[in-house]
Amino acid sequence: MHTTPGDQPPHNDACRTRVVLDIVGDKWSLLVVRQLRHGPRRFTELKRAIDGISQRVLTVKLRGLERDGILTRTVHNVMPPHVSYELTEMGGTLREATAPLLEWSVAHLSRIDEARAAYDARADPPTAP
């Protein structure tokens, strides 16, 4: 039986959302998106602003986000040449959608640290079921 893309069962789209969740679930990608919220940034600015990211990982994340249509890469023909990165329209909507999660993270980080310390300090750690 021949099927067209519109004939696909609806669960295929739900399964494909994993692609988006891979972006959203990746801490580095979200931090890059957050850093681009005020406009274009150069590679070195992003590297300085994102604590703990290596040059290699940043390069890989920027390429992936460009491939996914989240940001654009612009080579400026000046001396010396430089490259800047900027959110696309779709990238802007991703930033808007994830901003509350990042704000929640900042607001609750100290409470999470306290909970982890209390858990780790227990005399009788839970055993696996």
Side-chain angles (χ1 to χ4, degrees), residues 48-123:
R48 268 182 274 152
I50 303 172
D51 189 39
I53 194 167
S54 70
Q55 185 168 332
R56 166 101 174 102
V57 169
L58 180 56
T59 299
V60 168
K61 294 305 169 183
L62 289 169
R63 285 180 185 162
L65 290 168
E66 182 182 10
R67 181 176 182 255
D68 291 338
I70 304 300
L71 58 80
T72 57
R73 177 181 183 268
T74 303
V75 178
H76 300 274
N77 197 12
V78 295
M79 287 310 266
H82 74 267
V83 176
S84 65
Y85 299 89
E86 184 173 19
L87 292 177
T88 62
E89 181 182 343
M90 184 169 57
T93 62
L94 174 61
R95 192 206 58 76
E96 290 170 12
T98 58
L101 175 60
L102 292 169
E103 290 168 12
W104 180 92
S105 301
V106 170
H108 292 88
L109 190 55
S110 63
R111 292 178 62 194
I112 292 169
D113 288 341
E114 291 168 10
R116 287 178 175 176
Y119 181 91
D120 293 345
R122 280 197 226 165

Side-chain angles (χ1 to χ4, degrees), residues 3-21:
T3 61
T4 62
D7 295 335
Q8 297 297 320
H11 74 279
N12 281 347
D13 284 344
C15 291
R16 293 207 60 238
T17 60
R18 288 181 296 196
V19 172
V20 175
L21 294 176

